[in-house]
Amino acid sequence: METVTEKTTVKNGGKQKDDPHIQLMKLRFWARFLISLLAFGLFGWLVFTMVNKPDELAQSSKDLINLAFGAFLPIIGMLGKHWFEVSHDEPEHNPEPKQPIEEEEANGSLVTP
């Protein structure tokens, strides 16, 4: 009696590669997180500059800082809304686009009862 034994070689240490959609979701999260940190950091620097050095700055510099501060308030509001109110659920990943019903009927692939 004969027995056949096959040997399979698994490359990359047997790790499963992530779905490209999941990789894209991770990339989007880190990009949003980095942009949020930069915005909050710049806003904090503007507040620090307004509070600590109002006497040393020229009037034009004070005006520019006040304008930048006013422009950042809606940005900070939108970032807070994004992180605390909006759902982060991504739409379901569907690799095959659905055909319109008219095309399916024309192809004969749509079965009607």
Side-chain angles (χ1 to χ4, degrees):
M1 178 158 136
E2 293 182 22
T3 58
V4 177
T5 306
E6 293 184 16
K7 184 177 180 180
T8 58
T9 304
V10 179
K11 294 183 179 181
N12 297 331
K15 291 183 181 178
Q16 284 186 335
K17 193 171 184 178
D18 283 341
D19 182 23
H21 180 66
I22 293 173
Q23 289 177 345
L24 183 62
M25 286 176 53
K26 289 178 184 177
L27 182 65
R28 285 181 183 164
F29 168 77
W30 287 112
R32 291 172 182 159
F33 185 71
L34 180 65
I35 290 170
S36 298
L37 283 180
L38 290 173
F40 279 114
L42 187 56
F43 184 75
W45 178 77
L46 284 171
V47 170
F48 179 77
T49 305
M50 283 180 62
V51 171
N52 270 355
K53 303 178 184 180
D55 299 333
E56 301 169 12
L57 295 174
Q59 184 62 33
S60 61
S61 297
K62 289 180 187 178
D63 292 341
L64 287 175
I65 290 174
N66 284 332
L67 285 172
F69 182 77
F72 261 95
L73 289 177
I75 293 171
I76 297 299
M78 286 188 291
L79 286 173
K81 186 176 181 178
H82 169 74
W83 287 110
F84 297 113
E85 292 180 9
V86 177
S87 172
H88 293 291
D89 296 334
E90 296 286 333
E92 288 186 21
H93 177 60
N94 188 5
E96 296 180 14
K98 292 184 179 179
Q99 291 181 343
I101 294 177
E102 294 83 21
E103 286 183 28
E104 290 179 354
E105 289 175 351
N107 294 339
S109 61
L110 183 64
V111 178
T112 56

